[in-house]
Amino acid sequence: MSRPVDPESGYRIKIHKNKGHSYASTQPAVLDPDTGKKKYHRIHWGTVDENKKFHPGSRYLLASASERAKLIFPNDWDLSETKDLPESSQPAEPESPVIESQDENRLYGDIWLLEQIADATGIRQDLMAVFDNDSDKVNAILTLAYFPMSGKGSYSHLEAWQRIAKTPYDEPLNSVFITRLTQNITEQDRMSLLKLRAKRLHKEEMCAVDSTSRSAYGDKLADTHKGKNKEHLPLEQTLEVVVYTLSSHMPVYYRTFPGNVPDSRTLNTILLDLDQAGFNDIVLITDRGYETVRNLETYIDRGQRMIMAAKVGQQRILEKIRGFKQFNGRPDDMEIEPQERFYYKQYDIEYQVEGPDNSVKKSDRLKLNLYFDPHQRDNENMEIDIDLKSQKDALEEIKQKGLPLDDDETIRNAYSYFTVEYDPQTRVLLTYERNDKKIEKARETSGFFANYTHGLSFTPVEANYHYHLRDEQEKYFYMMKGLMGSDRQRNWSESGKTGRLFILFVSQIIGCYLQYIRKSKMSDTFKSNADVLDEMRAIRYVEHPDTDAFITPFVGKQVSICEAFGFKIPEGCAPEYALRKTNQGKRGRPRKNKEVVKEESEAV
């Protein structure tokens, strides 16, 4: 007969020595979701010195009062440092009386919907695995993730929002707690979550890679630099990169870079991260910002399957365009796509990369897909004519008035079709002339666009179709800077930034799933994610002392929302009419016996 299991064994604190340090740890048992077998893992709550004095660590400081109360410390340990904690986070004494619950009537419908999405996407399960089944910490992270969608505003308003909304984490999330929580989310936590998300992808998943600049208020972060600000603001910025899956419609990877790093220089770091996280069988789709010879060779060397937009001005593509010579209407030898209304041609490219040990890696089905749109050509040629006239008029006015020119970068961008000479001392314009070579090249390539594919057997039409799926990723950045209110980098510490990005990633996973279901099934009824959440918000979570809590009914469009997502309405909340059965098995009030009534009247 086996020894009975001690129910308190997972809460008994013991010393665990590792690399010369003594940790106060517990070793609870959990079930492995893959094998179904029980396994044990250590949780470090702090350190213990030679005098058996306990020094609380971040896990202990972030734990709820109820979780700390479960811990069983050895009787001879010095726990004096736990007494100095803020009163709001002190564990309850065993002798303290139980505080009676209060009457509560809080908003819940939108939170309930986000909770169902967290389960449907698997993000709650993944967070529990990352944080060793620490449900309090996971609930706190999810509460922070829901707030931008449901509560709105900055985190300074979160504690007030918790008083009117039923959130996963019941205890108040004040600024001190949020700071501690975000600063204790590490790079290891980020990679652990990415590995779990990678396991949820399908084989040969199409994944778009793109970035956006995010203006920063603070200037103390290492990644804040002046760069090409896409919002045209005079602020330093960071560069936020996201990999977005085009079948499950949600982000699966994120990373931040310094704001002055161009997209093309980030690809190698992204690929290394993806390999480390287990994204082994995906197809990457990148725009022209990532197209360089170095990146093309990196794809070939790593055997990475991809679709990459190409600049038509590069030498290889320019030679193909010039090979058509002069044409009217359309180039010769190009086929037409009647649905998309463009012409196309595919070229097989032989390419090999030499490694550092003189090894040679050949490309795998590297193809150049060249497209031509005659309507686009007409529009681009008209834009060239407009730019030529406006640039010439502006330069002539500057010359006549003797005004000084702006910096060199502004001159290159504002007067791109002209060569400008000026006095280096006064920056006064001396002469200008048309750059006919650049103008000719622009007209020559107008109407053409191109992409490369590697490791794929796509036709040009298929390659173009899959590439344009990445337009959906732009909605990710629109949501981040709009609904999520994360258009600015509001962190002033490196550790805090790591945690905030982690929580934003969790929030975006849930928000993207919400957006995909809304657009695919409810776009006629709800024009935005906020409309869906506003409709659900009126459902309330009601609590009274000594009675079970209950949720108010789901009605009208709220029922339709649950049907669109495939979520089961909580028991007792669905608008179903329960038939009250009579003894005769028919609903409603039983009929009177007319024969009996007649006999009684005759007797009278």
Side-chain angles (χ1 to χ4, degrees), residues 349-363:
I349 306 295
E350 296 294 332
Y351 205 107
Q352 60 185 30
V353 179
E354 294 184 5
D357 54 351
N358 295 325
S359 61
V360 175
K361 185 71 174 290
K362 293 185 178 181
S363 59

Side-chain angles (χ1 to χ4, degrees), residues 88-277:
S88 60
S89 59
Q90 276 279 51
E93 296 292 338
E95 302 80 19
S96 60
V98 177
I99 300 176
E100 294 184 359
S101 60
Q102 299 177 350
D103 294 300
E104 296 285 358
N105 182 14
R106 291 178 287 179
L107 302 173
Y108 184 57
D110 52 347
I111 303 297
W112 177 87
L113 181 64
L114 297 175
E115 285 276 76
Q116 307 310 304
I117 294 175
D119 291 333
T121 57
I123 188 62
R124 176 183 285 278
Q125 180 182 350
D126 291 343
L127 289 173
M128 290 291 285
V130 170
F131 296 109
D132 299 324
N133 291 307
D134 186 348
S135 59
D136 285 329
K137 190 170 187 177
V138 170
N139 284 334
I141 289 173
L142 288 174
T143 299
L144 291 169
Y146 298 161
F147 178 71
M149 293 179 279
S150 179
K152 313 251 173 51
S154 67
Y155 281 153
S156 61
H157 303 138
L158 193 147
E159 190 174 359
W161 173 65
Q162 284 183 286
R163 289 195 288 270
I164 63 171
K166 171 66 176 174
T167 61
Y169 193 78
D170 288 328
E171 296 187 21
L173 288 172
N174 53 40
S175 58
V176 175
F177 186 97
I178 294 172
T179 300
R180 283 179 175 174
L181 177 62
T182 54
Q183 289 185 349
N184 281 279
I185 295 176
T186 65
E187 176 68 10
Q188 181 61 52
D189 297 329
R190 168 182 167 271
M191 289 303 299
S192 297
L193 181 60
L194 295 181
K195 289 177 182 178
L196 292 170
R197 301 310 293 176
K199 293 180 180 179
R200 296 183 178 276
L201 296 187
H202 304 297
K203 187 177 181 181
E204 299 182 359
E205 186 102 29
M206 293 283 173
C207 295
V209 182
D210 205 355
S211 68
T212 188
S213 59
R214 199 147 67 108
S215 301
Y217 289 133
D219 58 357
K220 302 301 181 184
L221 298 177
D223 288 338
T224 53
H225 287 277
K226 288 187 176 179
K228 188 177 181 181
N229 194 305
K230 296 179 181 179
E231 297 176 326
H232 307 290
L233 295 174
L235 292 173
E236 293 188 332
Q237 64 186 34
T238 58
L239 187 70
E240 311 295 338
V241 173
V242 169
V243 175
Y244 183 94
T245 171
L246 300 175
S247 60
S248 54
H249 308 279
M250 64 182 67
V252 292
Y253 166 89
Y254 72 98
R255 174 178 271 282
T256 183
F257 288 94
N260 60 348
V261 176
D263 287 344
S264 60
R265 298 296 301 275
T266 65
L267 184 65
N268 194 52
T269 303
I270 295 171
L271 292 176
L272 289 172
D273 263 4
L274 292 174
D275 279 351
Q276 185 66 27

